[in-house]
Structures are given as structure tokens and as C-alpha cells.
Amino acid sequence: MKRKSLNIQYKEYSNTNDLPEEYKLLAQKAKEAVKTSYSPYSEFAVGAALLLENGEFILGSNQENGAYPSGLCAERVALFCAGTTYPNVPVDAMAIAASYKGVAVAEPIAPCGACRQVMIETQNIGKRPYKVIMIGANKTVVVDNVSFLLPFTFSDISNAVK
Ligand code: THU
């Protein structure tokens, strides 16, 4: 038996104005996307913004449904939109923001497990790591690689049976 450990790195910023210049607009777009959320059931509004390697922005927000499981998280709305609009263009960064009952959340919003699975697939398709910027009113957390959010990733069946 060997004991092993994984180490993840992340950066913490006190607010989005302190982010590197090239990601300030992306953070702003995520906050704007929150306003497009359709979330009458949870009143938890989430916005996701993607910056693609071609310089384009893609936005998504959570879209709920009276049949609860039919709704979709903001992150996957954005990622699937990017896959449809610009297939095979790598993602450079994703920013996520949220509000509850109209008030911006204090702590950074971290993507759910299902979204992380889709995020890693997008990263694999793009063949390069991308940043995830998780925005809260108190602080903003940045990881440089989706893998940091999903260790021991399931990627595809051929990998699993190697
Ligand atoms: N939600 C997202 O859109 N992204 C996340 O990362 C977490 C959760 C949505 C799903 C649902 O519409 C609402 O937030 C409450 O869970």
C-alpha cells in the first residue's frame, strides 16, 4: 500500500477588480448572465460566461423547469452553447457568478459535480487547460485547470479499460 496525495493550487482575489485585466470583462459577463436566469423555483440565479480562444464570449444561465430535473445549470447551458456555436474552439476561461433572491452570493459559487464532468470533457476536447473563475462578493477564487476541480476523472470508456 502506498499513501498518496493530490495537491490543488488556486488563487484568491478579494474582488473581481483585482483579476488579471484579460478576465475582468469575463467576470462582468458572468454577473450580467445572472440576470438572464430563469429560476422561479430555487430563486438561486447563476450566470456563467466563457471566453473562447477565438476571443468570443458565450453566456449561460440556469434554466429551471416545473419538472425539476428537466432544468439545466448555467455552466452546462454555456458549455453546450459554445460546443454548438463554435465546435472545437478551445475554452480559455469560464467565470461563474450567482445571486440568491436578488442578492449576490457572499462566497464563490462552485460548479456542481455534473457540470464539472462536462467541463472536463470540454477541456479534453480543447486539448488545453482552462481557468475557472468562481465569483463571490467576499472573494473570487481561480483555478487554472478544470482537473483541480475534478480529480480521479472519468473521461471515457477506452481509458477505463486500458
Ligand atoms: N445551479 C447552477 O446553475 N450552477 C451551479 O453551479 C449550481 C446550481 C443551479 C441549478 C438550480 O437551478 C439552482 O442553481 C439551485 O440549485
Side-chain angles (χ1 to χ4, degrees), residues 39 42 44 46 62-64 72-75 96 109-112 115:
S39 44
S42 70
F44 193 70
V46 185
N62 57 328
Q63 299 296 317
E64 296 186 346
L72 198 61
C73 292
E75 295 89 331
I96 312 162
I109 159 88
C112 79
C115 285

Side-chain angles (χ1 to χ4, degrees), residues 4-115:
K4 298 189 168 190
S5 64
L6 291 169
N7 181 29
I8 75 151
Q9 288 91 48
Y10 63 95
K11 295 165 206 152
E12 208 176 278
Y13 297 87
S14 51
N15 65 64
T16 51
N17 290 329
D18 294 341
L19 284 169
E21 210 52 50
E22 63 267 41
Y23 298 116
K24 283 184 188 170
L25 181 56
L26 182 67
Q28 192 52 44
K29 299 247 179 210
K31 291 176 191 173
E32 278 165 25
V34 171
K35 297 177 197 155
T36 70
S37 163
Y38 174 67
S39 44
Y41 304 102
S42 70
E43 297 188 76
F44 193 70
V46 185
L50 300 173
L51 174 60
L52 306 185
E53 216 176 63
N54 63 5
E56 296 288 338
F57 292 98
I58 299 279
L59 306 190
S61 58
N62 57 328
Q63 299 296 317
E64 296 186 346
N65 192 279
Y68 289 4
S70 303
L72 198 61
C73 292
E75 295 89 331
R76 277 176 284 166
V77 169
L79 288 164
F80 292 150
C81 179
T84 307
T85 316
Y86 297 105
N88 301 313
V89 176
V91 173
D92 180 68
M94 168 187 263
I96 312 162
S99 68
Y100 181 57
K101 296 191 175 182
V103 179
V105 295
E107 293 304 308
I109 159 88
C112 79
C115 285

Side-chain angles (χ1 to χ4, degrees), residues 139-154:
K139 59 174 181 263
T140 290
V141 166
V142 179
V143 295
D144 287 339
N145 190 324
V146 177
S147 304
F148 289 155
L149 296 178
L150 194 64
F152 296 106
T153 306
F154 177 79

